[in-house]
Amino acid sequence: MPLPLYLLAVAIFAMGTSEFMLAGLVPDIATSLDVSVGAAGLLTSAFAVGMIVGAPLMAALARRWPARASLLSFVLVFAVAHIVGALTTSFAVLLVTRVLAALANAGFLAVALSTATTLVAPDQKGRALAVLLSGTTVATIAGVPGGALLGTLLSWRATFWAIALLCLPAAYGVMKSIPGRAGKTPQRAPAGSSLRNEIAQLAMPRLALVMLLGALINAATFATFTFLAPIVTDTAGLGDLWVSVVLVLFGVGAFVGVTLAGRLSDQRPRLVIAVGGPLLLLGWVALATLAAQPVALLLLVFVQGTLSFALGSTLIARVLYEAAGAPTMGGSYATAALNIGAAGGPIVAAATLEANAGDLGPVWVSGLLVTVALLIALPLQRFITPRVGQAIR
């Protein structure tokens, strides 16, 4: 894989750390800003909503810009949003900064995904996606638990300052990995590719279907991931520092899942869906049943991280394949699918907490969402995953 892909993954690491770090900070933020845990969890949904809106909007605005200029601008806006978030004492202001940071993150990821597909062969989109998502999974392995530990030892505000500092090497990586005006061609719309034609690709049934499935699987992932901290401390009875351990295990599993999917999603996506989907469902049921047992919790968190990201990244790779007719907007469609799920999952999970369903309510929500996805995907596998020769246009 080309070196620029790995350098872009460095920036995605910083942004991924911010997107996921609230999983370990929700209780502290709730206490500090005098809101409920469920309300604090909605900060994750606010970020995801910003990603959903920002992905197509920012991609459309930046489709005529040089890639380096747009990516660098997004990183700097992202840093400023975290500085304001670290300073505020208002939950409403913090909510707004999360949306603004998400808009910048969405623009960056949409442009990065579109650029990445131009750097590899037409049949390697899944592998390119795996490299970029490795930044996200490393964030869950190191960045998110590190943020949770920093928040435990100092405060959640220290974690926000750390993210702002991480943006500096991320910006340097963008400047070094993406050429200036010489590199504007990959991001600029090819001749004859109008914005209207690229948006019209959303009417394609196969593209719409894989976006829906990717959103459902990601919603299942975030429904539980956002509220892992109370499951670790209250349900399993472990200490606060164990939250970081659990997040590391989930992140390691996610890295394994993305790596496996990177090798399989281009050539054998049907296998990943047919095998990984049912196993993912069984894993959520097992976690909801056995979460009170610490050893089982630790094992299942790793397994669910692996299965969730293997299946999710495979479906998002299908989005990139089916959006081949939208060379500058396709990355935003993949980003939107990811974050529709990231927004919806925590909202539904938070509703179960407010309804006094207990700390394990979000896990049952995850199982339900995967069930819906399987009921759609399994009968339509041949439609969703055509032969490789048909999928690559």
Side-chain angles (χ1 to χ4, degrees), residues 17 22 84 108 110 133 186-187 225 233 241 255 280 359 369 380:
T17 298
L22 292 184
V84 175
F108 184 94
L133 287 183
Q187 171 57 21
F225 184 78
T233 57
L241 292 179
F255 183 80
L280 181 61
D359 294 332
L369 290 169
L380 297 173

Side-chain angles (χ1 to χ4, degrees), residues 122-137:
D123 62 347
Q124 292 185 331
K125 290 183 174 69
R127 291 186 63 188
L129 176 66
V131 171
L132 292 183
L133 287 183
S134 69
T136 298
T137 57

Side-chain angles (χ1 to χ4, degrees), residues 51-360:
M51 292 284 285
I52 295 166
V53 175
L57 178 62
M58 296 297 104
L61 290 175
R63 69 194 301 266
R64 299 288 181 185
W65 300 351
R68 185 171 71 180
S70 57
L71 291 171
L72 186 59
S73 297
F74 292 139
V75 169
L76 295 178
V77 171
F78 191 80
V80 171
H82 282 77
I83 292 172
V84 175
L87 294 172
T88 187
T89 58
S90 166
F91 180 76
V93 172
L94 182 60
L95 198 66
V96 171
T97 65
R98 295 305 288 169
V99 175
L100 292 177
L103 290 173
N105 190 355
F108 184 94
L109 188 56
V111 174
L113 285 171
S114 294
T115 302
T117 60
T118 69
L119 300 175
V120 297
D123 62 347
Q124 292 185 331
K125 290 183 174 69
R127 291 186 63 188
L129 176 66
V131 171
L132 292 183
L133 287 183
S134 69
T136 298
T137 57
V138 172
T140 61
I141 295 169
V144 175
L149 181 61
L150 187 61
T152 299
L153 297 177
L154 298 177
S155 75
W156 64 268
R157 298 180 189 278
T159 304
F160 274 67
W161 282 112
I163 294 298
L165 291 175
L166 271 177
C167 290
L168 297 180
Y172 179 79
V174 167
M175 293 186 66
K176 288 298 182 181
S177 65
I178 304 297
R181 292 201 167 271
K184 64 192 288 186
T185 302
Q187 171 57 21
R188 294 191 65 181
S193 177
S194 69
L195 179 60
R196 177 178 297 179
N197 289 339
E198 293 202 34
I199 293 175
Q201 297 292 309
L202 290 170
M204 296 172 56
R206 187 178 291 145
L207 174 58
L209 183 57
V210 291
M211 287 179 67
L212 171 62
L213 293 173
L216 285 170
I217 295 301
N218 206 45
T221 303
F222 273 83
T224 295
F225 184 78
T226 302
F227 299 103
L228 267 178
I231 294 175
V232 173
T233 57
D234 298 339
T235 302
L238 297 171
D240 289 342
L241 292 179
W242 278 95
V243 173
S244 297
V245 175
V246 169
L247 293 176
V248 167
L249 285 173
F250 186 91
V252 172
F255 183 80
V256 172
V258 165
T259 301
L260 291 175
R263 299 179 180 276
L264 294 173
S265 61
D266 288 318
Q267 304 296 327
R268 308 190 70 180
R270 196 175 300 172
L271 175 65
V272 178
I273 295 172
V275 176
L279 288 177
L280 181 61
L281 174 57
L282 290 175
W284 288 128
V285 173
L287 182 59
T289 305
L290 302 172
Q293 302 179 28
V295 174
L297 173 65
L298 297 176
L299 176 62
L300 287 168
V301 162
F302 170 79
V303 171
Q304 292 306 92
T306 301
L307 294 172
S308 293
F309 274 76
L311 185 58
S313 63
T314 295
L315 290 168
I316 296 305
R318 301 312 307 168
V319 173
L320 293 175
Y321 275 113
E322 299 306 329
T328 65
M329 295 296 291
S332 73
Y333 302 157
T335 303
L338 280 168
N339 287 281
I340 288 172
I347 289 174
V348 179
T352 67
L353 294 176
E354 297 294 339
N356 297 319
D359 294 332
L360 294 176

